[in-house]
Amino acid sequence: MEAKDKVRGESFCELASESEQVKKAEQPGKLALKYHPYYEGKIEVVSKVPVRTLDDFAIWYTPGVAEPCEEIMKNVELVFEYTNRGNLVAVVSDGTRVLGLGNIGPEAALPVMEGKCLLFKYLGGVDAVPIVLRSRDADHFIEVVKSLEPSFGGINLEDIEKPKCFYILDKLRKEMNIPVWHDDQQGTAAVEVAALINALKFTGRKMHQVKIALIGAGAASQAIARIIFKAGVNPKNVIVVDSKGILHPDRTDVKDSDPYKWELCLITNGEGRSGGIREALKGADVCIATSRPGPGVIKKEWIKEMADNPIVFACANPVPEIWPWEAKEAGAKIVATGRSDFPNQVNNSLAFPGIFRGALDVRAITITDEMCLAAAYELAKVAEDRGLREDSILPTMDDWEVYPREAVAVALKAIEQGVARIKPSKDELMERAFTMIKRARSQVEVLMKSGHIKPVPEN
């Protein structure tokens, strides 16, 4: 099947056959199995200071290192100036909800956490360390992460099962004095909101009037709901659907099992609808789906029952809830997915590197929802500056100026909200973000050219 719409000079999705698409989709996994043992992982520690002779170790280590230690002991804030703590993030997981793989355990989760650290560095200039914990107890997990605080400028929680992930994030944000962030919640929400801002703009809709069906009620959807409400969406105009149907106040099965979802039962669905996905989509302007892999979770005929020129974000991985060409054939004006091989990829990697860059550059004590929203607005503005099209409502990771711009927006919002330890100027923030990100990319380029990063083996 081939859609009629043209995208970047090609068809919306060129599919010679389903088997060829399956083969293409399997290729990254086959190469990953080959490359991971070849490189023995993806990250390593590299010195950032010169070592001219071994005598330099008297400066970088003993006896010289005692002097900065004593200064930090007198003023603990100096740790951010005398060490790398201010640019260091821990990527922490228990391996209980990894990608689409589920509960695979901490060791099996480590390749994902390493990959996250690589993205932190290359896209945001942020040093990151993967930490996987053999801990299934939420309170024990919290205590371990809290004990790590003196070493890090921020914590990125990753791939933790719900509802435990909500509890862990809320408690750590209250009890730690550095940013704690759960990318599956806040990162997804920031990019989804950026996409929504531009999709509404392109189709001539207003945020406070739009009717939205949220398909899925997990960590991502709950965070999306929270951020879109802050962006101006009326909760009564939102209908949320979980695996058992539409959320409403009579869903007593939710009341005692998930307090976060129960709140959505109380404040959304102003029309009092019941039923499932089809009933939620009727007359909706927007569908935002972060549920289970498709295809077929959302059907073409249901898209036809939405409002005119509807917006469809089908973001399940690895296969969206509905194929984008099917949504387009059913009348969708704008379609986004989580995949890089379709237009309008909604990708967390557009958010977390820049958001952390900004938070770290002002030594923020937290990352607020308003900081995430500031990032979303800037992401949307970058795409708007480039020119909005129905197949281009978001920047891509190739648009690397996204990250310093996003960092500055986040940092300025942190200063405005009083959660920043230091208050550089806008120009100072832009210069630092630009320098740190450019340096990270240049390092990889230099190491590749010199052969210190081995060439990719031939397929």
Side-chain angles (χ1 to χ4, degrees), residues 130-411:
I131 298 176
V132 289
L133 303 180
R134 187 173 287 108
S135 175
R136 298 295 301 276
D137 178 76
D139 289 314
H140 179 253
F141 187 103
I142 288 166
E143 288 307 310
V144 171
V145 175
K146 284 172 61 178
S147 70
L148 297 173
E149 182 171 342
S151 293
F152 295 97
I155 303 292
N156 182 95
L157 302 174
E158 192 78 15
D159 293 344
I160 302 168
E161 64 189 350
K162 70 177 182 70
K164 182 169 65 174
C165 61
F166 302 117
Y167 172 69
I168 289 173
L169 176 65
D170 287 350
K171 193 154 188 178
L172 287 177
R173 289 180 74 181
K174 291 175 183 175
E175 298 182 6
M176 296 183 74
N177 291 311
I178 57 174
V180 182
W181 155 283
H182 184 207
D183 195 42
D184 297 327
Q185 294 183 52
Q186 295 160 291
T188 299
V191 184
E192 293 277 2
V193 172
L196 178 64
I197 290 167
N198 281 344
L200 295 181
K201 188 170 295 185
F202 188 85
T203 57
R205 291 174 163 98
K206 302 295 184 183
M207 188 74 74
H208 67 281
Q209 296 173 335
V210 70
K211 295 183 178 181
I212 299 177
L214 273 180
I215 312 305
S221 287
Q222 291 184 33
I224 291 166
R226 194 173 70 242
I227 302 298
I228 63 174
F229 297 159
K230 288 184 179 292
V233 171
N234 183 347
K236 296 299 182 184
N237 289 341
V238 176
I239 298 176
V240 185
V241 185
D242 70 1
S243 60
K244 296 181 180 179
I246 291 174
L247 299 189
H248 51 73
D250 293 332
R251 285 287 304 274
T252 54
D253 60 302
V254 174
K255 187 173 183 179
D256 296 326
S257 62
D258 191 333
Y260 305 95
K261 192 188 294 187
W262 175 242
E263 184 179 359
L264 291 176
C265 289
L266 298 178
I267 66 174
T268 63
N269 191 10
E271 297 179 12
R273 294 192 197 183
S274 58
I277 296 174
R278 181 172 192 168
E279 288 72 22
L281 288 174
K282 285 183 179 178
D285 299 293
V286 180
C287 166
I288 301 177
T290 55
S291 57
R292 57 185 175 86
V297 175
I298 297 173
K299 300 185 184 301
K300 285 176 64 174
E301 53 265 33
W302 301 349
I303 302 297
K304 292 178 181 178
E305 295 173 348
M306 295 178 68
D308 291 340
N309 295 320
I311 297 161
V312 177
F313 298 167
C315 297
N317 277 315
V319 179
E321 289 87 349
I322 181 171
W323 287 118
W325 62 88
E326 291 182 334
K328 293 289 283 188
E329 289 169 355
K333 182 66 174 177
I334 293 177
V335 181
T337 73
R339 287 173 55 138
S340 61
D341 51 348
F342 300 134
N344 295 328
Q345 184 187 20
V346 179
N347 190 331
N348 288 11
S349 299
L350 286 171
F352 70 84
I355 291 174
F356 261 99
R357 176 77 275 143
L360 293 173
D361 288 345
V362 294
R363 301 178 193 166
I365 60 173
T366 188
I367 296 175
T368 65
D369 285 346
E370 289 77 11
M371 291 161 70
C372 295
L373 191 55
Y377 284 131
E378 194 62 30
L379 278 174
K381 186 67 167 58
V382 171
E384 185 181 12
D385 290 346
R386 187 184 58 194
L388 297 180
R389 303 191 309 271
E390 64 184 62
D391 66 314
S392 183
I393 59 169
L394 281 173
T396 69
M397 286 188 289
D398 288 333
D399 303 316
W400 82 276
E401 72 274 10
V402 164
Y403 300 103
R405 285 181 57 171
E406 192 177 19
V408 172
V410 169

Side-chain angles (χ1 to χ4, degrees), residues 7-28:
V7 175
R8 297 190 181 100
E10 299 176 354
S11 61
F12 184 84
C13 181
E14 292 184 342
L15 292 176
S17 70
E18 184 175 348
S19 62
E20 287 186 15
Q21 282 297 300
V22 171
K23 185 177 179 181
K24 179 181 177 182
E26 290 175 344
Q27 186 68 3

Side-chain angles (χ1 to χ4, degrees), residues 46-52 56-57 60 439:
V46 177
S47 174
K48 62 189 292 188
V49 298
V51 180
R52 298 159 296 185
D56 281 344
F57 288 126
W60 308 131
R439 179 174 179 267

Side-chain angles (χ1 to χ4, degrees), residues 68-88 149-153 178 363 421:
C69 291
E70 290 183 348
E71 292 300 306
I72 294 170
M73 187 170 60
K74 296 173 190 174
N75 178 7
V76 73
E77 290 298 308
L78 288 175
V79 70
F80 291 101
E81 297 179 23
Y82 286 23
T83 76
N84 195 43
R85 181 186 173 189
N87 195 51
L88 193 60
E149 182 171 342
S151 293
F152 295 97
I178 57 174
R363 301 178 193 166
R421 288 187 175 93

